Structure formats: structure tokens, C-alpha cells
Amino acid sequence: MGRSIDALELAKALIRCPSITPARGEVFDILDEALRLLGFAVHRWVMGEAPDGPTENMVAIRGDSGPHFGFAGHLDVVPPGENWASDPFAADVVDGLLVGRGANDMKSAIAAYVAAVSRLEIREGTLSLLITGDEEGYATYGTPRIIDWLNEKQIRPDMILIGEPTSVDRLGDTVKIGRRGSVNMWIDVPGVQGHVAYPHRATNPIPPLARVIAALNAVHLDDGADQFPPSNLEFTAISTPTDASNVIPGSATAQLNIRFNNLQRGADLVEMVEGIAGREAPGSTVRARISGEAFLTPPGPLYDVVVAAIEEETGAKPELSTSGGTSDGRFLIQLCPVVDFGLPNATMHKVGECAAVEDIEALSRIYEGVVRKVFA
């Protein structure tokens, strides 16, 4: 079907493209070339404007019969940050570790999967890769638009594996079978700016905002559900328009995030916050952005092939978990059963992000085993 691809070399080439979210261009060119050599038909498009775009998406397909196995991932990365020991986009191998932004999350997994497919001769069935440049951002023009494209073409995978780094202590110890939902909110409390020496001529927004924060901090959302931990509400920032020590600010804002299980719905949580803010700080407003609802993939063939392939490579069965952050599975679950499985995630988003070369190679073997089992 093509030539054998080396997972490490492809991962290096992808990392050397500084594809900070939202991403497009060169990093997609490299993956495009590799997939065309393997007989994939590659479809790419760029859409959207700043600040959430422009974003590039890719759908690569080989075959036209069932079953249809999809692999999903993202080529965008978070900004590198400061104080790296070397260039974060050099893709150096140091003491058996591939170092660079995206090595862990998740260019190495994409490379491992492409390398796995390059070793396979699949004569019946369909393989696809669903790759976005906007998973690390708000996904406005990312995976939801890939789903739109698939629906327009009447293409629907039977199962999807996402290559997010899910392992914890060792490769293969954890598979994510669902994810919590996430909603970000900003509570804006108006005031009247003035001099601190003349408070009767001003209205301080900070005390009512503090009451809102205290009331929300006291809320008990739930005790968790089957396969899910309890939902949690966390404040992430508090700000005013001025830092001057002698000025009562004209407004104050609190930012919060709620990670919620399948006992909750994003819209209901927004309504709850709006009610508390309106009671404790009349005149306040709440802005909200729901990143995705909680989802859970029920047991079935996808579980079976992924667990079996991991056990064959590592000798141990993985834990099936819903812990951690969100992934694009929150969108892809609209199409078919979805699970996330990839590298150990200890360095994702950190300065010095890295992945063990031996883990990348073992992950590629696991992915190869998964695909073989799907088409057996």
C-alpha cells in the first residue's frame, strides 16, 4: 500500500513545525505527504477568523467498505512557555526521550498511528484520520466542523480512537472511556469608579462579587456518578480594570470553570450561576462558554479491541477511566463509540514536554494491534 514509516522520525518532523493553536500549514503538509504515500485520499480546508481561527482541518480516508475505523487527533499545541533547556521545537532525543512541544500531546501519537498503518495490508474496510488544528483552543472551527463535513458527505465511522495521552504511570495503564463536561463562565459586577477617600461618590463592585464567590464556593454539585467523579467548580481568576491603590474600580470580574459529570448539564449550571449572581450582586451579568457535555461510551467492541491490544503489548489490563480534562471525544461521540488512549501524560503542556522513544514505538505496536483486531 506504500512504504513503511518510522514513528520517531515522523514525530520529529511534526514537532519541528511550531503549530501553536489554532494551527494550519506546514505541519499539515508533512502529515498529508505521509498519508498520500500510504494510499489515503486527503481532504483539507482552512476556515474561520481570529481570534478562534483560522484553523485547518484534515480528513484522510482509505477504503470504502465496512467496518470503518477512525483515528482522531490534533496537530496544534499550546505555547511553549519559557526556560526550556533547549529549543522547544528542535525535537531533540535526550537520554531516550523525544523532547519538544507536542511530543506528548499529541504529535507522537499521530506519528505512531501512521507508522502502524504503514505496516498493515488492509484489503477490506475503511480507515480514516480526523485531524484538527484547534483542539487546544475553543474548537470553534475544529472537530465540530469535521463532523459537519462527514455528515455532508454521509460518512460515519463505526468506532473512533483518539490518541490523547491518557496513560498515567506507565504506557497502557489507563484508557479514557468518557470525559467530564466543561463550562467557563465570567461574572461581571458593575460599580462606579472613584477615589478611595471619597467612597460615598463611588460604588465598589468587589464586596458583592466576593459574596457571589462565597455563595458559589459553598455549592455542593453532586457526589459523583457511575464511572464519574464528583463535579467541581473552581475559580480561576479575579480582575478589575485598575491596579491603582487609591481607586475604587468601576467593575470587577470573576472567572470560573466547572468540570461536570453526566448528572449535570452545561445550560443548567449556567442558569444556577446566573441565579446566585443575580441574588448576591444585583445588576451583575454572566457570560458563559460551554466547551462540551459529559459523555460515556458504553462497553462494546471498541473497548474489547483496545484492551486486548494493550494487554498483548504490556501484559496488563488498563483501567477504564473518565478522569482528567476534556477531549474532542465530547464532539465525536455524536458519530459513534469513542475512547481515548495514548502516551503517559506527565509532561503534557509542561516546560520540557517529552515522550520516551520506547513508549512511542510500543504505542505504535498497540495501535497496529487494535487495527488488526478491528479488521480480523
Side-chain angles (χ1 to χ4, degrees):
M1 193 63 78
R3 62 179 178 85
S4 179
I5 289 176
D6 183 89
L8 178 61
E9 293 306 312
L10 179 55
K12 287 180 179 179
L14 295 174
I15 292 167
R16 286 169 182 152
C17 302
S19 52
I20 296 170
T21 192
R24 59 192 169 112
E26 183 184 6
V27 70
F28 282 88
D29 295 340
I30 291 170
L31 183 59
D32 185 323
E33 180 181 2
L35 291 172
R36 288 183 190 276
L37 288 172
L38 300 178
F40 283 83
V42 180
H43 310 271
R44 296 167 57 182
W45 67 97
V46 177
M47 64 189 304
E49 304 295 334
D52 292 356
T55 296
E56 184 156 6
N57 294 312
M58 171 189 288
V59 177
I61 301 177
R62 193 176 78 189
D64 58 7
S65 62
H68 180 167
F69 181 80
F71 178 88
H74 62 91
L75 286 170
D76 60 316
V77 298
V78 298
E82 299 178 351
N83 300 318
W84 285 67
S86 60
D87 181 350
F89 299 109
D92 296 324
V93 175
V94 181
D95 296 329
L97 300 175
L98 174 60
V99 181
R101 179 58 82 222
N104 190 265
D105 187 15
M106 56 169 282
K107 292 179 177 180
S108 294
I110 293 174
Y113 183 77
V114 174
V117 170
S118 77
R119 299 189 294 268
L120 294 169
E121 291 287 340
I122 304 297
R123 301 192 181 280
E124 294 186 5
T126 302
L127 290 171
S128 65
L129 286 90
L130 316 176
I131 308 296
T132 183
D134 185 21
E135 192 273 346
E136 298 292 5
Y138 285 113
T140 303
Y141 303 109
T143 294
R145 307 291 77 80
I146 290 178
I147 293 172
D148 291 343
W149 188 93
L150 292 171
N151 287 335
E152 289 168 7
K153 305 294 183 183
Q154 296 184 318
I155 298 170
R156 186 171 290 265
D158 296 302
M159 57 184 74
I160 293 174
L161 173 63
I162 305 175
E164 290 285 355
T166 61
S167 301
V168 181
D169 297 318
R170 56 174 176 77
L171 178 67
D173 64 2
T174 306
V175 173
K176 298 295 176 69
I177 59 173
R179 298 279 188 160
R180 292 187 296 172
S182 176
V183 56
N184 290 295
M185 287 183 251
W186 296 263
I187 304 167
D188 301 307
V189 178
V192 176
Q193 183 172 317
H195 197 293
V196 296
Y198 304 95
H200 58 287
R201 297 175 180 170
T203 301
N204 195 328
I206 294 177
L209 180 60
R211 292 195 295 272
V212 175
I213 293 171
L216 286 171
N217 197 52
V219 170
H220 178 75
L221 292 171
D222 56 63
D223 294 313
D226 290 345
Q227 302 292 336
F228 281 100
S231 303
N232 65 292
L233 183 157
E234 302 296 336
F235 286 93
T236 55
I238 299 173
S239 63
T240 63
T242 177
D243 292 326
S245 61
N246 60 351
V247 176
I248 294 171
S251 64
T253 299
Q255 176 181 300
L256 63 93
N257 176 272
I258 302 177
R259 295 299 170 102
F260 56 94
N261 57 41
N262 57 354
L263 296 177
Q264 311 288 345
R265 298 288 296 175
D268 296 334
L269 293 169
V270 173
E271 185 177 352
M272 176 199 72
V273 172
E274 288 175 335
I276 291 174
R279 183 189 74 217
E280 301 295 339
S284 62
T285 57
V286 176
R287 295 172 285 134
R289 193 160 191 170
I290 300 171
S291 300
E293 301 290 342
F295 75 92
L296 182 68
T297 296
L302 181 56
Y303 276 27
D304 298 340
V305 295
V306 172
V307 169
I310 292 171
E311 190 171 12
E312 285 180 4
E313 175 66 29
T314 68
K317 286 187 176 181
E319 176 188 357
L320 304 180
S321 170
T322 61
S323 62
T326 60
S327 78
D328 276 353
R330 67 192 189 272
F331 307 123
L332 295 167
I333 194 68
Q334 301 172 34
L335 299 174
C336 62
V338 177
V339 301
D340 297 55
F341 170 66
L343 292 164
N345 56 22
T347 65
M348 62 190 297
H349 294 196
K350 289 187 175 183
V351 170
E353 179 180 352
C354 61
V357 172
E358 63 179 6
D359 280 346
I360 297 171
E361 294 170 348
L363 180 65
S364 187
R365 292 192 295 270
I366 293 172
Y367 285 160
E368 180 181 351
V370 170
V371 177
R372 287 187 186 279
K373 293 176 186 302
V374 169
F375 294 102

